[in-house]
Every structure is written in C-alpha cells, then in structure tokens.
Amino acid sequence: MNLLEYAAKELLVKEGIPVAQYGVAETPEAAFDIACKLAKRPLVVKAQIAAGGRGKGRFLNGLEGGVKICQSPEEVKQIAQRMIGSILVTAQTGEQGQLVKKVLVSESIDISSEIYLSISYSHSTASLLLMGSRAGGVEIEKIAVENPQAIVKKFVLPDYSLWDFQAREFGLDLGFRGKELVELSRILKSLYKTFVKHDASLCEINPLAMDRERKFWALDAKITIDDNALFRQKELLAYRYETIYDPQESEAIRSGVNYVGLDGQIGCMVNGAGLAMATMDILDRFGGRPANFLDVGGGADQSQVENAFRILLSNRNLRVILINIFGGIMRCDLIAEAIVEATKTHRPSIPLVIRLEGTRVKEGKIILENSSLEYLFADDLEDAARKAVQFLKK
Ligand code: ADP
Ligand code: MG
C-alpha cells in the first residue's frame, strides 16, 4: 500500500522530521480555509495521488503540473477547484492517470538545494539500502541513469534502529559537515525508525529541501507499507482504500479475497495463488486474456466462494467465467456445493466453465450434475482454458 503524501507526512511529523505546515482538503472551500490559516506566502497546492512525478505531470483538463505555487487563498481555491475531481497523468501513473480526490495545501519553502533520501529493501543482499543524493528533486530518475555516481548508497543490516555512526557516515559521504551533518543524521535515524515501526518497504523523502538559512524540510514523502503487515498496522488501515481505484479490488480487500483486476474478459476463480497464476498463463497460451487474478484461498468456505462470485460478477467486462479448483486439503464436494449455492444468489448470465480435480471429485461432480446450474465441465487445465477461450471467439 502506498500512502498519499499527506498521510506519509503525518508519520514523519510524529518522528520529529521537519515538515512545512500543511493541511489536506477534499473541497476547494476547505483548501481556502487551510490557506487562510497558514502564515507564510507563497503557498503550494499539491494533488494527492499514489504516484510520483506530479510536479511534471499534466491534468486531462489541461492544467499543467500537480504541484502549484499560489500567492493567495483565493488562488489556492481556484487551483484546488481545477485539481479535485480531475485526472492527473504523470510518468508514474500510466496514461490513464489517477483521479485526484484530495489536495494538500502547504506553506512554501525558499529552497536553496534539494536532497534525495530513501530507505528500502535490498533483497539480493538481505539488507536495507540507504540512498541519498545532493542532486535531489524532480530529476532524480534521470540522474540515477545519467550520473549514478551522484547517488550515495549504503547497505545496513536490518536492525531496530540505525546507529549514530552509520547515520553520520552516510551524511559525511553526502558531503555534509558540522551542524548540518548532525541534523541530517537525526533525520535519517527518524526516517529509519519510521521504516521499521510501520513495516514499510520504502520510505523516501524527495526533496529534503535546504532553505536559505540552511535548515532542512521534508517537502515530499513517499511511504510504501508491506500489505502483509497491515494486520499489525491498524492505524494505517484507514488509508487503505483511498489509493485503490478498482471497485472490485477494494471490495475484495473488505471480503478477504485475493483479487487483482486485469484487462481481459475471462473471469477466473481459482484456489491457490500458484494455480491461479498457472491458469492465467494457460489462458494466455490459448489466446485468451484473464479479467482478473482471484485466489479464493486453500480453506475457502461457502461464504468465501460467494464473496468471490459476487466480486467477479460485478465486473462488466466479463464474457465467460472459468472456475479452476484443485482439491487438496479443500474437498471438491464442498466446493461444488458452495458454487451451486453461490450461483443461486448471484446467477451468472454468461457461460461458466468448471474444472474440478482432487479430493472427492466424484462426489463434487454429482452435486454439480444434480443442480440446476448451467455449465461446461472441463477435464483438465488445458481443456478448461480451451473451452473458455472458445466462448470468447463465439
Ligand atoms: P513530485 O515528486 O510528485 O513531483 P514534489 O512534492 O516532490 O512532487 O514536488 C515537486 C517539486 O516542487 C519539488 O521538488 C520542489 O522543488 C517543489 N515543492 C514541493 N513542495 C514545495 C513546498 N512546500 N515549497 C516549495 N517548493 C515545493
Ligand atoms: Mg517528489
């Protein structure tokens, strides 16, 4: 899960990282009110989307840039009006862009230089990776490619906190000395603490600006939380839905179903993530495109199957459904019953291909045959994929 900038900044503030005063608004009027309360001028209005590159982005309504400097609360209101409810396209969103539902209104900082700072995983070395650069800001991706020596990297063993000497060494490598070194080390240690405390996989400040008085400010923040740790990051759960744009995906999270929306027309319901991946591969081989990845889980019960069905059917692009169940621990007769029950409430108006195999498959088949459900039975995975794709071609 990617936190929006305003939410990421809340976490940084809690750890004592200096962030320019800001507020977050869902309406132009609320943006105006925040602007009136902020003392310093000019002000900055920033579109809140779960992707970077906003500064150089473009709105579909023609507005240039998702980060705008404004001179007055009136101007903040006008800009917020044009941002909220519009789609912002950046180098990181894909051409479909992302809908802006909130804007951040912040005091502006008189920047003298921009620093890049991040902590992430390095899977290949089983350690954490600190990255920093004196050439931070909106061009950092370009610098990483064209001038990689401008980026300082340091691998540290994962530990509860960063040692002082590690933080100082990193700051020295970045060329800081004296008071600035002390302050940068403190910020880095706080960023590290944020990373560990919230089960993040990325904590990035870009830019960490230095103002004319040589004071640091985190002007942008990107924090990615490991979804598998959300069960113990309860206070972050509230942020979960604001960055998910696919209605099926957000419903799946609520129902505890593993679902990822894709752009094909074959709805897949499979038990086990590996089998779900294999099903998508084989569909692809036969020239079909899956509409989704859906793993109902190894121990799915009837309500889980019903939830999965409801989520599948709410996708209007579907033209055929493929159910692929391999009963290991899961019994095929229980699954067959669950399918029959689920289709009573959510009757599909499109063809259904079912492949069942494994524990108590005979009993499962009998249950399906004795029901009023219309479906096509497949003998194996290949047969199932071929049949599903044939429906598409009809
Ligand atoms: P993104 O990384 O998505 O483009 P940023 O928040 O980093 O968005 O903003 C882009 C640039 O806008 C920053 O590199 C910085 O130069 C400027 N900027 C952002 N926030 C402020 C602010 N509060 N005061 C002054 N300049 C800012
Ligand atoms: Mg940025």
Side-chain angles (χ1 to χ4, degrees):
M1 160 172 92
N2 289 325
L3 296 181
L4 295 180
E5 176 193 1
Y6 84 91
K9 281 181 167 171
E10 282 173 16
L11 302 188
L12 299 188
V13 169
K14 272 190 202 154
E15 296 309 322
I17 295 177
V19 172
Q21 286 283 330
Y22 72 93
V24 61
E26 290 181 39
T27 62
E29 292 72 28
F32 178 84
D33 290 343
I34 294 165
C36 290
K37 284 183 197 129
L38 296 174
K40 272 196 232 148
R41 298 285 178 272
L43 297 153
V44 186
V45 184
K46 306 175 79 175
Q48 299 295 286
I49 56 169
R54 294 166 301 165
K56 294 172 129 193
R58 192 180 42 78
F59 283 86
L60 288 188
N61 67 12
L63 183 66
E64 288 290 333
V67 177
K68 290 290 211 189
I69 305 276
C70 296
Q71 302 301 332
S72 65
E74 287 73 24
E75 199 185 343
V76 166
K77 188 176 170 183
Q78 275 173 17
I79 292 289
Q81 177 97 49
R82 294 188 69 189
M83 285 185 177
I84 296 170
S86 302
I87 290 178
L88 176 59
V89 181
T90 79
Q92 294 180 20
T93 59
E95 60 193 32
Q96 75 286 356
Q98 282 186 20
L99 178 68
V100 177
K101 297 180 189 161
K102 290 182 178 157
V103 292
L104 181 147
V105 183
S106 167
E107 288 184 350
S108 69
I109 296 298
D110 194 7
I111 302 171
S112 76
S113 71
E114 302 194 19
I115 296 136
Y116 174 92
L117 215 53
S118 76
I119 302 174
S120 59
Y121 284 124
S122 161
H123 295 282
S124 58
T125 60
S127 57
L128 298 183
L129 172 61
L130 311 182
M131 279 203 282
S133 176
R134 293 297 285 261
V138 293
E139 298 287 347
I140 192 70
E141 280 89 2
K142 202 168 146 206
I143 284 164
V145 176
E146 290 173 8
N147 189 14
Q149 66 276 19
I151 295 175
V152 174
K153 289 185 183 176
K154 191 174 178 66
F155 295 94
V156 296
L157 286 178
D159 203 342
Y160 188 71
S161 66
L162 194 67
W163 291 94
D164 283 329
F165 79 88
Q166 291 173 310
R168 272 198 304 272
E169 228 171 56
F170 189 73
L172 280 170
D173 287 351
L174 277 171
F176 290 104
R177 301 290 181 270
K179 267 195 214 158
E180 286 160 20
L181 178 63
V182 173
E183 177 63 355
L184 188 90
S185 305
R186 190 187 69 81
I187 291 173
L188 192 64
K189 285 184 70 175
S190 298
L191 192 64
Y192 191 97
K193 202 165 160 195
T194 310
F195 185 93
V196 174
K197 193 165 152 188
H198 296 292
D199 294 301
S201 54
L202 170 72
C203 281
E204 179 190 272
I205 302 177
N206 183 37
L208 176 73
M210 190 189 262
D211 67 14
R212 306 281 160 196
E213 277 94 56
R214 306 194 73 76
K215 195 173 162 350
F216 291 114
W217 298 96
L219 293 192
D220 186 15
K222 180 172 181 191
I223 295 182
T224 307
I225 308 292
D226 183 344
D227 288 348
N228 295 309
L230 282 178
F231 73 96
R232 60 181 191 189
Q233 293 295 338
K234 298 224 160 55
E235 77 277 29
L236 300 181
L237 280 177
Y239 298 126
R240 196 157 190 206
Y241 298 102
E242 67 185 8
T243 56
I244 297 170
Y245 296 94
D246 180 326
Q248 278 89 24
E249 273 181 32
S250 55
E251 187 48 40
I253 292 173
R254 286 191 185 91
S255 312
V257 173
N258 295 315
Y259 180 101
V260 180
L262 301 165
D263 58 6
Q265 295 175 312
I266 306 174
C268 300
M269 187 169 107
V270 188
N271 70 322
L275 190 58
M277 298 289 280
T279 305
M280 300 196 314
D281 280 347
I282 202 155
L283 282 175
D284 186 70
R285 210 177 93 199
F286 284 101
R289 289 180 64 77
N292 65 280
F293 165 96
L294 193 167
D295 165 20
V296 276
D301 57 11
Q302 188 176 318
S303 81
Q304 203 67 349
V305 173
E306 205 173 309
N307 283 334
F309 240 95
R310 185 168 40 82
I311 292 163
L312 261 193
L313 292 177
S314 64
N315 178 352
R316 285 162 201 276
N317 293 334
L318 288 202
R319 291 190 39 214
V320 51
I321 293 174
L322 170 56
I323 299 181
N324 183 19
I325 303 290
F326 190 89
I329 297 167
M330 169 101 82
R331 283 167 38 190
C332 288
D333 54 343
L334 289 186
I335 263 289
E337 259 171 38
I339 294 171
V340 171
E341 279 310 309
T343 47
K344 277 182 191 160
T345 11
H346 309 284
R347 195 166 274 283
S349 55
I350 48 176
L352 187 61
V353 178
I354 302 179
R355 181 247 178 168
L356 275 186
E357 194 52 87
T359 312
R360 291 177 75 89
V361 65
K362 259 194 228 149
E363 290 83 348
K365 279 186 187 173
I366 292 170
I367 291 168
L368 289 176
E369 278 160 18
N370 290 342
S371 75
S372 63
L373 186 65
E374 280 178 43
Y375 65 95
L376 203 60
F377 200 84
D379 296 321
D380 56 34
L381 188 47
E382 229 179 85
D383 187 35
R386 196 179 291 117
K387 282 176 175 153
V389 173
Q390 263 163 17
F391 275 116
L392 273 194
K393 289 183 179 150
K394 273 180 193 162

